Amino acid sequence: MKKLVVVLLFIVGITAMAQEKEMQRPNGDKFASLSPEQKVEYQVKKMSKDLSLNDKQVKEVKALVTKEIEKRDAIKTEMKALQAKQRIEMKAKMDEEYAVMRNEMRKILTSEQYTKWEKIHEERREKIKEKMKEKRENKKINAIPDEK
């Protein structure tokens, strides 16, 4: 389930870009307490800063991010109720949607901005993978009964 949630976050591709300390909650979920509008505004500001977007790009990215956040929230709700087979199908669907999103970003951004966006995205993706690996390892350690 956790892996699927991580993949879900990758659909948007930019959800993981929010790294500000003031938004971090104790459990590490940075966006759970924000409204969808706040999530959009934060992500657009972060991308604008990181990629030096012009006004037209900001407007287009904002529309794309809004659409993706709505999709992601709907998918998260739906995934909670799915069985294993359905989750595999959902993952394939999410991968396709992520590819579409990347193509749309490629149209909006200049080639330099897109390359930078991909690099930032990949770095953050690796950080998330490391955190998930640590969480799994911690669960395994905590699940081992004490030997007496």
Side-chain angles (χ1 to χ4, degrees), residues 13-124:
I14 53 181
T15 302
M17 290 185 180
Q19 298 292 324
E20 297 290 319
K21 293 291 182 191
E22 71 266 12
M23 298 189 70
Q24 184 145 4
R25 293 178 27 169
N27 66 358
D29 187 0
K30 299 171 187 152
F31 287 113
S33 64
L34 298 180
S35 70
E37 295 81 18
Q38 290 172 320
K39 292 175 187 179
V40 169
E41 288 300 319
Y42 181 78
Q43 289 177 7
V44 170
K45 284 180 185 177
K46 180 73 173 162
M47 287 184 67
S48 181
K49 178 184 165 195
D50 289 345
L51 303 174
S52 303
L53 302 177
N54 63 36
D55 291 338
K56 180 182 177 193
Q57 290 172 323
V58 168
K59 184 178 177 182
E60 291 174 353
V61 167
K62 185 173 184 175
L64 179 61
V65 170
T66 301
K67 183 173 74 172
E68 292 301 319
I69 285 179
E70 289 170 358
K71 281 184 189 177
R72 185 190 71 229
D73 289 345
I75 290 171
K76 281 173 77 173
T77 303
E78 185 179 341
M79 284 190 56
K80 289 181 181 180
L82 296 179
Q83 299 297 321
K85 181 180 177 184
Q86 293 169 319
R87 288 182 184 148
I88 293 169
E89 293 169 1
M90 182 64 73
K91 183 185 180 308
K93 179 181 173 185
M94 291 186 306
D95 290 343
E96 290 173 15
E97 289 180 3
Y98 177 65
V100 169
M101 193 279 264
R102 286 183 64 193
N103 287 333
E104 289 184 32
M105 287 298 283
R106 184 176 283 134
K107 292 175 187 175
I108 295 170
L109 303 176
T110 65
S111 61
E112 184 178 296
Q113 289 171 328
Y114 182 77
T115 303
K116 188 173 180 179
W117 176 78
E118 278 188 321
K119 180 183 175 192
I120 291 168
H121 175 70
E122 188 59 35
E123 289 171 357
R124 292 186 176 147

